[in-house]
Amino acid sequence: MPVGEFELIERYFADGFGKRDDVVLGVGDDAALVRVPSGSELVVATDTLVAGVHFPPQLTPEHIGYRVLAVNLSDMAAMGAAPAWCTLALTLPAADEVWLAEFSRGLRELALRHRVALIGGDTTRGPLTLTLQILGLVPAGSALRRDRANTGDLIFVSGTPGDAAAGLELLQHQSRHASSGYLVQRFCTPAPRVELGLALRGIASAAIDVSDGLHADLGKLLSSSAVGGRLELERLPLSDELLRGHGLERARELALHGGDDYELCFTAPVERRAAVLAAAKTCSCAVREIGVVDAREGLRCFDGGREIPVSTGGYDHFGL
Ligand code: ADP
Ligand code: MG
């Protein structure tokens, strides 16, 4: 029996997402009401996943639900914000209850882990598209911005970039709805670095999350800050799995240009190096120093002191 929009929302999105005291009114009215503490700034981001563009048909509904929140949590992490609330705009080709049950399970798992309340949304029929808006909080003036890097700052990256792009490649060659193996998991269930973002407040000078590839995203941070930078390729943190599957050269390429990692790339003054490493330790997140900010234009890559020409890759939806 076909179910209506209202029943679907009730069944899969109204409950089980965790309650927060600062939600005055959640799902069910024309709009939600939340309480923003005085002295805080509201941090707002939104990201859309379009089937066939942002994920392949092999991705399970559970992982789609997880990912649509993960990519938005990553934006909160990059701002040093504490995520609090989200809304979800769902466009579905059909009211497939098995799909919805799995999707909402994946979304719920990550929402509960990060104490994010789902407070509203919209449900429509059409080609599968998911848009999630996330709202978070930072003490006024303390957000990590991408335009605050300074000449002489050190450049850091978390985790092991390149894994997700390698995982996506593997996933696309698997049969429908398969998702085993370390690299594939790095694409399906990226770990947004929310705790690291919070720990870096007051330490990092600038930050960005790596969604379009480390080279492209670090390039954006540097150009927003009107500085340049030097990246030491031999310092790139590469996972054993990536090296084993692809060899050093291709692993570096994937680490530089592969997307979907959702790691943090950030800068900090030299004298804060120990503080960066201590912050990373408190949240059990590997962080590696990979370069330095300078006053020359653009991002330049070096291997053993020799400059290596690296094309500006990165994923650009409207690029040629
Ligand atoms: P309206 O017509 O007033 O915009 P809707 O009928 O679209 O309201 O939605 C009813 C309620 O359900 C609203 O509170 C809305 O925020 C919520 N809602 C709709 N779709 C979703 C969804 N996919 N996830 C969470 N909440 C939703
Ligand atoms: Mg209304």
Side-chain angles (χ1 to χ4, degrees):
M1 193 174 63
V3 287
E5 179 192 324
F6 188 71
E7 284 81 30
L8 289 182
I9 296 164
E10 276 291 305
R11 228 172 264 179
Y12 301 108
F13 301 107
D15 282 320
F17 278 88
K19 300 273 173 271
R20 290 179 61 103
D21 292 344
D22 50 16
V23 178
V24 181
L25 199 53
V27 171
D29 211 311
D30 292 307
L33 289 174
V34 294
R35 214 175 286 121
V36 178
S38 63
S40 287
E41 281 165 353
L42 194 59
V43 186
V44 184
T46 191
D47 248 320
T48 291
L49 299 188
V50 179
V53 177
H54 298 97
F55 59 89
Q58 287 90 346
L59 196 66
T60 64
E62 190 169 356
H63 287 150
I64 297 170
Y66 179 102
R67 265 186 126 259
V68 73
L69 180 55
V71 302
N72 280 283
L73 283 169
S74 179
D75 284 324
M76 291 289 111
M79 299 302 289
W85 315 289
C86 69
T87 62
L88 172 70
L90 257 185
T91 303
L92 302 168
D96 176 341
E97 289 213 63
V98 174
W99 192 95
L100 277 163
E102 277 194 48
F103 171 85
S104 81
R105 181 161 10 102
L107 179 63
R108 203 160 42 234
E109 180 203 323
L110 196 59
L112 287 171
R113 197 181 304 164
H114 289 276
R115 295 196 55 247
V116 175
L118 178 64
I119 56 170
D122 194 25
T123 307
T124 52
R125 188 185 293 270
L128 183 59
T129 305
L130 311 114
T131 299
L132 191 133
Q133 180 176 55
I134 193 158
L135 302 108
L137 297 166
V138 285
S142 70
L144 300 176
R145 304 168 48 139
R146 61 172 75 168
D147 60 355
R148 292 292 192 267
N150 294 300
T151 300
D153 283 356
L154 305 175
I155 302 171
F156 298 87
V157 71
S158 68
T160 50
D163 292 348
L168 173 60
E169 246 175 56
L170 288 170
L171 184 65
Q172 285 170 321
H173 290 103
Q174 289 183 359
S175 58
R176 208 175 156 76
H177 288 187
S179 56
S180 60
Y182 167 83
L183 294 172
V184 173
Q185 281 302 319
R186 296 298 302 149
F187 175 81
C188 294
T189 53
R193 304 300 184 185
V194 176
E195 293 81 9
L196 180 63
L198 293 174
L200 288 172
R201 283 202 306 229
I203 298 173
S205 48
I208 191 167
D209 70 321
V210 181
S211 53
D212 298 331
L214 177 61
H215 190 272
D217 288 323
L218 174 55
K220 285 181 213 166
L221 180 154
L222 296 172
S223 75
S224 293
S225 299
V227 290
R230 184 185 162 109
L231 195 145
E232 310 295 339
L233 294 177
E234 70 269 23
R235 291 194 178 194
L236 283 176
L238 304 170
S239 73
D240 291 343
E241 289 83 355
L242 189 67
L243 281 167
R244 220 179 300 129
H246 293 274
L248 181 62
E249 199 175 325
R250 177 79 182 132
R252 280 184 178 174
E253 234 172 75
L254 286 163
L256 284 178
H257 298 305
D260 295 307
D261 286 309
Y262 301 104
E263 295 297 346
L264 291 188
C265 178
F266 58 94
T267 57
V270 181
E271 62 273 18
R272 305 311 304 274
R273 179 192 275 129
V276 166
L277 301 178
K281 204 166 175 196
T282 58
C283 41
S284 310
C285 180
V287 155
R288 179 83 61 88
E289 184 185 323
I290 55 169
V292 65
V293 176
D294 62 25
R296 289 179 54 189
E297 203 181 316
L299 174 61
R300 281 144 284 114
C301 296
F302 291 81
D303 186 11
R306 199 162 54 90
E307 184 165 357
I308 306 286
V310 171
S311 64
T312 46
Y315 198 85
D316 176 354
H317 284 269
F318 297 100
L320 298 175

